Amino acid sequence: YKGETGILLFQNIHRYALYFAIIFIFILSYDAVMAFFRNGEFGVGVGSIILLINPILLGGYTFGCHSLRHLIGGRMDCFSCSHSAKHAHGRWKIVTYLNRKHQMFAWLSLIWVGLADVYVRLVSMGIITDLNTWG
């Protein structure tokens, strides 16, 4: 077996994009947490909730990718052969659960990212006001 060659290389390029996607999930998560603070004061706003849901949905999509399934346990031949393989099987089952919902997370995150962008844009332009606890 020589692996994927020629045009099949493009089919699997998302395996490498997974690493960048995970980095962006953490960046968006940090931004979501920071959205709950204004001038050091904790508060909740519609915008902060919208920004929090964004990385959750994107994370469900990203962490349910079959590439991650393969990375954390799909390459093993025997999950019961060793202690570390048993732990890998537990992680693999979690990713498998998310993988079953991969299409749902894809559509929800696609729609939510668009709505979040529109909401932030409208608030930044002053067209709508973000309801929040800061007053």
Side-chain angles (χ1 to χ4, degrees):
Y1 179 72
K2 296 184 190 295
E4 288 83 14
T5 58
I7 192 129
L8 293 177
L9 286 173
F10 293 108
Q11 173 185 337
N12 293 315
I13 200 160
H14 72 280
R15 289 181 184 174
Y16 304 105
L18 173 69
Y19 301 116
F20 295 108
I22 291 172
I23 291 168
F24 281 108
I25 297 298
F26 284 107
I27 292 169
L28 289 171
S29 297
Y30 175 78
D31 286 343
V33 169
M34 296 311 296
F36 286 94
F37 296 93
R38 182 184 292 170
N39 298 327
E41 181 184 347
F42 178 79
V44 178
V46 174
S48 56
I49 293 170
I50 287 173
L51 292 178
L52 178 65
I53 294 172
N54 207 20
I56 291 171
L57 292 175
L58 286 167
Y61 174 68
T62 302
F63 296 123
C65 180
H66 67 276
S67 293
L68 186 63
R69 256 177 100 211
H70 176 74
L71 185 66
I72 66 168
R75 67 192 178 281
M76 294 185 181
D77 292 329
C78 178
F79 282 124
S80 61
C81 294
S82 70
H83 185 66
S84 63
K86 289 177 186 176
H87 288 296
H89 185 247
R91 292 187 303 267
W92 181 82
K93 287 193 310 188
I94 292 169
V95 175
T96 298
Y97 172 79
L98 291 172
N99 184 259
R100 287 187 194 120
K101 310 246 185 242
H102 193 61
Q103 184 177 3
M104 178 192 72
F105 280 118
W107 282 106
L108 289 175
S109 62
L110 177 71
I111 293 165
W112 197 263
V113 166
L115 291 174
D117 285 349
V118 168
Y119 185 83
V120 169
R121 176 76 173 169
L122 293 175
V123 170
S124 70
M125 293 173 66
I127 295 173
I128 61 173
T129 303
D130 182 41
L131 300 173
N132 59 62
T133 59
W134 291 287

